[in-house]
Amino acid sequence: MGITDSPQDRDGLPWGLTELDASGFVVFLQAPEQPVAADVGRAIEEWIGSPSESSIEPLPTSNEERWAIRVHAEGVACPIIIWCEEAAVLEPTGDEELDAVLTTCPWVIRAQLIFAPSEAISEYFMVVSLLGTIAPESPAILDVVTSEFIERETLDTDFLAEDALPNESFLYAKILYDDDDAPGGLTMIATQGLLRCGLPELEVVGVPVEQQHAAAVVLDVTVGLALEAGLPDPGGTFALGTGLEVILMPAAQASAGIKAGEVGSTQWRHKLETEGQFDTSQPHACLCQPSSAAGEQMGWPSLVAAAMLAGDASVFVSATARHRLGMRARRSFSAFATAFASLARPSKPEWVRIAHEGFMVQIAESSAPASGGAVQSWWRVDHLDGDGVDALRVARGSADAIDHRRIDSTDVMDWRVELPVEGSPFGPWEPDALLAAVDKVRTQESP
């Protein structure tokens, strides 16, 4: 099916973008019978809530499609084209369990639309929620742009749960480029999916293998802020936090300074393009460290990454991420408080030390107008105080508190716990594992 409708705000796209990429989704169905268009239409109308006569329009089909409709949903600027066809044979995903389930799906419902760049996060959430609702027995939905599968458990918790919120991380995948045949032993991490959001794909080039995680953190923070506030023009500075800046260079310009054949170089990109693994015609923005001297080659933002991972940097966070992370942290805060109380007992000095050094909460503070986000900071828990904590702000490498405040549980955006056991650190995504780890600490013999 082809997309002929598009949002009105596609004009004036940055970084040489001339058009928006379409988003496509494949909903896998295990039922042996072909889904009936009328049944799907009724499910869509129920999801829309108060449909008008023009909410759903039938469309002509080709040989592959059994039926097709155009759906107009409030809150989604572009009509959604939805159609049914037989499932095609898929390449193995690498997940044997998922592969086995997908082979039992004879039919698929497909969807396609173009996101409004300024609303891409919310529109993605709404469209996937719609698809997950009209196919409640579907084991997974494939995002065609990122090649990522959203499995049923994720659909139920991150899209269909009553307290689910839009999540920008689904809009893009991070692709690691690591070429054993290339000299230098360096890697590149690039996004896949931002072109449909009216942004260039972002890259971090020249990353040592052991620092891939740090580079991915920088990339994620940049994407979250860029989706809400946009990006500066090529060569411009983008603030990721207080004193944390990167330069956004066109990939063609940045790659010209990389040795021939190395990952990210011009020659390497063209080699991948001939193999169908890269598209040099699309705009890519490379995140670089501002140079400290005239003529100095700008490398990947390693200093920014180190400051972020150190834990005491003031990093900006987007509004979408702030709300989503806060919801997750609040869901499991009771486990966090229980774990702290289990260790912070005056009769056990070693446990108290572990509690005071290992339990931290993150909050969002003053706004950061330049990036559209807010400043996030980590605080070390001193003691529980009702439905919250008394916490200390401690500079890295120092035992002296530089600030102190009471933090209500509703203001906690994230939490982390470092414990001297396997699996540490623990976060909001694993409250049961945290409680089990605390039990393990308590059974260990105190020195």
Side-chain angles (χ1 to χ4, degrees):
M1 300 296 293
I3 290 289
T4 57
D5 301 283
S6 63
Q8 295 301 309
D9 60 352
R10 63 184 297 175
D11 295 331
L13 295 173
W15 285 76
L17 275 168
T18 57
E19 61 181 2
L20 296 168
D21 278 6
S23 285
F25 301 92
V26 182
V27 185
F28 292 84
L29 306 173
Q30 288 183 297
E33 302 84 10
Q34 173 190 321
V36 178
D39 293 340
V40 173
R42 281 191 292 270
I44 292 173
E45 289 179 339
E46 184 176 347
W47 184 86
I48 292 175
S50 55
S52 64
E53 292 184 0
S54 59
S55 293
I56 301 177
E57 307 171 46
L59 293 175
T61 60
S62 65
N63 293 332
E64 291 78 16
E65 301 109 24
R66 299 307 175 95
W67 50 260
I69 55 177
R70 179 187 286 115
V71 177
H72 301 265
E74 185 177 355
V76 180
C78 175
I80 311 165
I81 308 301
I82 298 178
W83 71 97
C84 169
E85 63 184 41
E86 292 186 59
V89 177
L90 296 175
E91 294 289 333
T93 66
D95 183 330
E96 292 184 2
E97 185 175 347
L98 177 61
D99 287 338
V101 171
L102 295 180
T103 60
T104 67
C105 299
W107 296 97
V108 296
I109 291 176
R110 302 195 62 171
Q112 195 174 44
L113 78 158
I114 295 176
F115 292 132
S118 60
E119 303 296 334
I121 302 174
S122 62
E123 289 189 354
Y124 189 102
F125 179 76
M126 294 181 70
V127 170
V128 174
S129 298
L130 167 63
L131 297 175
T133 299
I134 66 175
E137 303 304 320
S138 172
I141 296 176
L142 171 65
D143 182 332
V144 177
V145 173
T146 63
S147 298
E148 298 284 343
F149 285 88
I150 307 171
E151 298 188 51
R152 190 75 237 176
E153 182 179 358
T154 302
L155 282 170
D156 291 339
T157 58
D158 289 13
F159 290 90
L160 303 180
E162 187 175 347
D163 59 355
L165 292 170
N167 183 342
E168 74 278 3
S169 65
F170 288 103
L171 275 167
Y172 67 103
K174 293 191 291 291
I175 309 299
L176 172 66
Y177 295 92
D178 185 3
D179 191 343
D180 293 335
D181 296 329
L186 302 177
T187 65
M188 178 175 86
I189 304 175
T191 63
Q192 181 173 298
L194 296 185
L195 293 172
R196 61 179 167 181
C197 306
L199 294 172
E201 301 294 356
L202 300 180
E203 303 176 353
V204 186
V205 184
V207 182
V209 173
E210 65 275 10
Q211 298 188 56
Q212 291 172 10
H213 171 68
V217 170
V218 175
L219 201 58
D220 285 334
V221 172
T222 305
V223 172
L225 296 172
L227 283 169
E228 291 192 352
L231 289 172
D233 292 334
T237 300
F238 194 65
L240 306 185
T242 304
L244 303 176
E245 295 181 338
V246 296
I247 300 293
L248 291 168
M249 301 296 295
Q253 183 176 342
S255 62
I258 301 175
K259 293 181 181 178
E262 285 190 358
V263 173
S265 66
T266 301
Q267 296 85 347
W268 176 87
R269 292 172 189 269
H270 286 307
K271 174 178 176 290
L272 258 65
E273 188 167 39
T274 60
E275 299 171 354
Q277 301 180 47
F278 205 83
D279 186 353
T280 60
S281 68
Q282 298 284 15
H284 287 244
C286 186
L287 277 60
C288 300
Q289 184 79 35
S291 58
S292 57
E296 180 181 345
Q297 178 64 38
M298 292 183 292
W300 79 281
S302 57
L303 298 180
V304 171
M308 286 183 177
L309 293 184
D312 54 3
S314 295
V315 182
F316 298 156
V317 59
S318 66
T320 301
R322 185 165 70 251
H323 296 153
R324 172 176 49 83
L325 292 172
M327 179 66 71
R328 184 182 68 173
R330 288 189 290 275
R331 284 176 181 170
S332 54
F333 186 81
S334 60
F336 176 85
T338 299
F340 183 88
S342 298
L343 292 175
R345 297 187 174 186
S347 60
K348 299 289 185 179
E350 179 62 15
W351 293 0
V352 173
R353 181 191 65 78
I354 292 173
H356 284 169
E357 292 181 357
F359 282 69
M360 301 189 72
V361 295
Q362 187 185 61
I363 60 174
E365 302 184 88
S366 58
S367 62
S371 67
V375 177
Q376 57 185 341
S377 59
W378 285 97
W379 294 71
R380 186 174 299 165
V381 177
D382 183 65
H383 62 271
L384 301 178
D385 183 2
D387 189 22
V389 298
D390 261 26
L392 306 173
R393 180 94 159 113
V394 180
R396 191 168 182 83
S398 172
D400 299 326
I402 57 177
D403 200 357
H404 166 270
R405 69 169 59 177
R406 182 190 181 279
I407 299 173
D408 193 86
S409 63
T410 58
D411 294 326
V412 173
M413 189 179 73
D414 202 356
W415 57 259
R416 291 289 183 277
V417 178
E418 292 271 2
L419 296 176
V421 297
E422 185 178 356
S424 183
F426 302 92
W429 58 88
E430 48 190 356
D432 293 338
L434 168 62
L435 296 175
V438 167
D439 288 340
K440 187 174 183 179
V441 170
R442 284 162 54 89
T443 58
Q444 293 174 346
E445 182 178 353
S446 297

